Amino acid sequence: LAITIMSAPPKRIDQWGRSGTGRAVLTGYVLGAALGVGIGLAWYSPSLFDLGLFLIALSIYHFWEYNYVAIYRPNELSWTAFLLDQSPAFQMAMLASFIEYFIEWFFFPSLKGHSWITALGFIGVIIGQVMRTLAMATAGHNFNHMIAEEKEDDHVLVDYGVYSIFRHPSYFGWFVWSIAGQLVLCNPICAVGYTVVSWKFFSERIPYEEYQLKQIFGDKYKDYARRVPSGIPFVK
């Protein structure tokens, strides 16, 4: 008597879903194209030079967010690591910045082309990106895009490097990056709006995150918080 045991077919992975490699590869191509367009505009188009710089900075930001997860938390790697859909508010804010830019570029061109503002903004973008990159690289696997509510086995308190300057250097980096990016574009409305919205976001997120960190690390974190500023103005 022959008995044939048929195993269940392997679960099919949706390659275009949030965890599929297809969507991640396509996103990489799109970001690469945006980087190429940005370089082209910055190099060849005096009237869209500022937009080119912004596209370069934006592409590098999203590339790094994905690469961080790939390097330090590969088991969690998915399309979401690009942070393109981190929140509807982020998507609306980014859309608003492009809308403002093109409306002013077309109807109020005198608001654009201020090279000193764009240069100041780009310096700020570099500072913000470098600080966020150093924060993520210094923390290594201890950094997470999501707020930790439970202690992982290998989770340690990182209080050296850029973390000896600010408790939240990655937040400081993004705060500076988000505002400076609007200066690159010479977007006066979004520059103010991003400042207010970003500050409000971090003023609410940091207290909640630090409550969780105090639960995890206890007095060690409380002492650290007393010694080192948060990194966001007027947020203790």
Side-chain angles (χ1 to χ4, degrees), residues 153-197:
D153 293 338
D154 55 354
H155 192 183
V156 298
L157 176 61
V158 179
D159 57 1
Y160 51 85
V162 289
Y163 288 87
S164 65
I165 303 173
F166 298 127
R167 299 197 305 275
H168 301 280
S170 67
Y171 291 168
F172 169 82
W174 171 245
F175 183 71
V176 172
W177 194 106
S178 64
I179 299 169
Q182 298 311 300
L183 295 180
V184 169
L185 294 172
C186 294
N187 279 354
I189 297 175
C190 280
V192 174
Y194 271 53
T195 302
V196 173
V197 173

